Amino acid sequence: MKTIASCLFISAALLTSAGNALASEALAKKHGCLACHAVDKKVLGPAYKDVAAKYKGDAGAAARLEGKIKNGSSGTWGQIPMPANASVPDGDVKALVKWILSIK
């Protein structure tokens, strides 16, 4: 019984994790992020995996990235500025940043 319960818990956790990743990628698509970014390659902006690597271990990264998404940014990844995305709801911005920082 204990083994079955453990397997069910692990399966549920994996499905939740996969669901969150898909939901966050869907948010990126919904808000137009994927027009300039991709998970694994540079488009106009950096690849999300490169963003995650740059900010790995940085305790203030989430708040800083949330600000960059909402207010725009320039100079961090080159000369092409990232426009402000003030209309993206705060909850979606937080979910996007959490997802981006989790990419390996």
Side-chain angles (χ1 to χ4, degrees):
M1 279 299 233
K2 194 172 191 178
T3 307
I4 292 172
S6 296
C7 289
L8 290 174
F9 178 76
I10 291 169
S11 295
L14 288 173
L15 287 173
T16 299
S17 177
N20 288 342
L22 291 175
S24 296
E25 190 165 359
L27 281 176
K29 187 174 184 177
K30 173 184 173 184
H31 293 298
C33 307
L34 299 179
C36 296
H37 298 276
V39 171
D40 58 353
K41 64 183 176 189
K42 180 180 179 0
V43 183
L44 286 176
Y48 287 143
K49 71 174 187 166
D50 294 337
V51 175
K54 178 179 181 80
Y55 292 100
K56 184 178 181 180
D58 181 343
R64 196 164 32 263
L65 290 173
E66 289 167 16
K68 288 178 180 234
I69 291 171
K70 291 294 272 189
N71 303 314
S73 177
S74 64
T76 305
W77 295 93
Q79 293 186 1
I80 299 173
M82 181 170 142
N85 294 278
S87 65
V88 178
D90 290 345
D92 287 0
V93 170
K94 288 183 183 303
L96 286 164
V97 168
K98 184 176 180 182
W99 170 64
I100 292 166
L101 291 174
S102 74
I103 296 171
K104 295 189 182 359

